[in-house]
């Protein structure tokens, strides 16, 4: 491996970390009063509902844009127990949180499982989330292109509507894979989210520790759960405890544990772009990149 290749890889990894530090914690915060547990359950249930249609090209084409969301009869109900096991969440916690989400009208419980209904996936909140996520990925794509981490593709024509809904389905799949891939290094799905919240806070405060209480408020998690997971992250060598806060300084990110974490994280994100390329979906971001350039 040449020095230039190493430099390019490190640049790509840095861009990927900066992107996740912005998207993941802020994405969870934008859900308002919903906790990180709720958001992970919602994402996993939504993904499981439409998993049987993942390889159906006609389905993906029909429900690519924001104009129409898949009807409820196309959604396969998910068992709460299976979702809890896949996320590493206690089953009783998952059952209780899903019941709360059903009461709020976000999920619908059926005899054979739970679904995220069309009424929610077509709501103004869901549409705004998709639009905001698309915008962040547009910037991320441009950064990767400028760094030479992605090859150019044929740009989409202006008359083609952007496939925001299809992008969100693909991103949900890869986000859950990202959580799964990083679990062995962090130990808990919420700890993965917390780690990026600490990284985001470390960058925003220019090196000041992020208090556990601030992370708990931002992610809607109990303080004791945040404190326990933050200590575990520190024990794993992925952050440092400084007083009552937590910090990820640049020198720590050069240590072997962080290097392995960064490499694995970048690999999963780049697989997302590979999946977008296979679906011929990068053209919209390429068109915007070329227009800005």
């Amino acid at each position: 491996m040449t020095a230039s290749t190493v430099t390019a890889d490190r640049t790509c990894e840095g861009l990927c970390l900066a992107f996740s530090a912005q998207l993941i914690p802020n994405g969870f915060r934008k859900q308002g009063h919903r906790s990180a547990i709720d958001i992970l359950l919602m994402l996993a249930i939504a993904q499981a509902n439409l998993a049987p249609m993942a390889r159906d090209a006609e389905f993906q084409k029909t429900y690519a844009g924001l104009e129409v969301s898949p009807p409820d009869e196309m959604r396969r109900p998910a068992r709460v127990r299976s979702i809890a096991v896949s996320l590493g969440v206690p089953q009783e916690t998952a059952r209780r949180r899903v019941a709360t989400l059903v009461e709020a009208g976000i999920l619908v419980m059926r005899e054979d499982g739970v679904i995220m209904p069309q009424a929610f996936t077509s709501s103004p909140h869901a549409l705004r989330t998709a639009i905001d996520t698309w915008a962040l990925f547009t910037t991320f794509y441009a950064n990767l292109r400028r760094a030479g981490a992605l090859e150019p593709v044929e740009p989409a024509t202006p008359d083609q509507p952007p496939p925001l809904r299809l992008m969100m389905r693909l991103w949900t799949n890869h986000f859950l894979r990202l959580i799964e891939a990083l679990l062995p290094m962090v130990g808990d799905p919420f700890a993965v989210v917390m780690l990026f919240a600490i990284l985001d806070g470390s960058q925003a405060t220019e090196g000041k520790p992020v208090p556990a209480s601030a992370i708990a408020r931002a992610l809607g998690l109990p303080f004791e759960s945040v404190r326990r997971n933050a200590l575990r992250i520190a024990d794993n060598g992925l952050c440092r405890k400084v007083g009552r806060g937590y910090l990820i300084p640049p020198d720590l990110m050069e240590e072997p544990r962080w290097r392995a974490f960064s490499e694995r994280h970048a690999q999963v994100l780049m697989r997302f772009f590979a999946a977008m390329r296979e679906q011929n979906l990068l053209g919209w971001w390429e068109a915007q990149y070329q227009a800005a350039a």
Side-chain angles (χ1 to χ4, degrees), residues 106-256:
I106 294 174
L107 301 175
V108 171
M109 182 62 72
R110 295 178 173 176
E111 290 185 2
D112 51 349
V114 62
I115 67 167
M116 179 177 285
Q118 184 185 52
F120 181 78
T121 58
S122 297
S123 67
H125 176 78
L127 299 182
R128 172 50 54 188
T129 298
I131 292 169
D132 290 346
T133 304
W134 178 271
L136 288 173
F137 267 110
T138 299
T139 301
F140 184 34
Y141 177 87
N143 290 338
L144 291 171
R145 282 280 284 112
R146 279 192 289 269
L150 291 173
E151 295 295 327
V153 297
E154 185 70 23
T157 57
D159 61 323
Q160 296 175 285
L164 274 72
R165 201 176 289 281
L166 176 51
M167 179 275 297
M168 287 297 289
R169 289 197 294 272
L170 290 173
W171 169 238
T172 297
N173 290 344
H174 279 76
F175 175 71
L176 293 172
R177 290 179 189 174
L178 179 66
I179 295 289
E180 182 181 1
L182 299 180
L183 272 181
M185 307 183 71
V186 182
D188 183 281
F190 312 118
V192 176
V193 177
M194 283 174 48
L195 180 62
F196 285 110
I198 295 170
L199 181 59
D200 182 46
S202 297
Q203 295 173 346
T205 60
E206 297 181 349
K208 294 181 180 179
V210 184
S213 57
I215 300 171
R217 286 194 301 271
L219 300 181
L221 290 171
F223 172 80
E224 182 56 31
S225 176
V226 168
R227 187 193 68 81
R228 184 174 63 252
N229 277 295
L231 288 173
R232 183 189 304 166
I233 295 172
D235 290 341
N236 286 341
L238 294 172
C239 77
R240 288 179 184 155
K241 188 176 186 305
V242 181
R244 296 185 177 182
Y246 297 86
L247 181 66
I248 303 175
D251 66 291
L252 179 62
M253 299 177 72
E254 294 301 321
E255 295 184 1

Side-chain angles (χ1 to χ4, degrees), residues 51-129:
M53 314 300 294
R55 297 185 181 279
D56 187 325
E58 188 59 32
F59 168 85
Q60 299 289 26
K61 179 180 178 181
T62 301
Y63 301 104
L66 287 183
E67 298 77 16
V68 59
S69 176
D72 292 355
E73 56 267 24
M74 298 186 75
R75 301 171 191 266
R76 180 186 66 184
R79 295 288 185 183
V80 176
R81 179 180 180 279
S82 299
I83 296 297
V85 171
S86 69
L87 291 175
V89 176
Q91 293 183 33
E92 180 54 31
T93 299
R95 186 200 64 76
R96 187 174 63 253
R97 297 312 308 166
V98 165
T100 301
L101 292 168
V102 169
E103 290 177 5
I106 294 174
L107 301 175
V108 171
M109 182 62 72
R110 295 178 173 176
E111 290 185 2
D112 51 349
V114 62
I115 67 167
M116 179 177 285
Q118 184 185 52
F120 181 78
T121 58
S122 297
S123 67
H125 176 78
L127 299 182
R128 172 50 54 188
T129 298

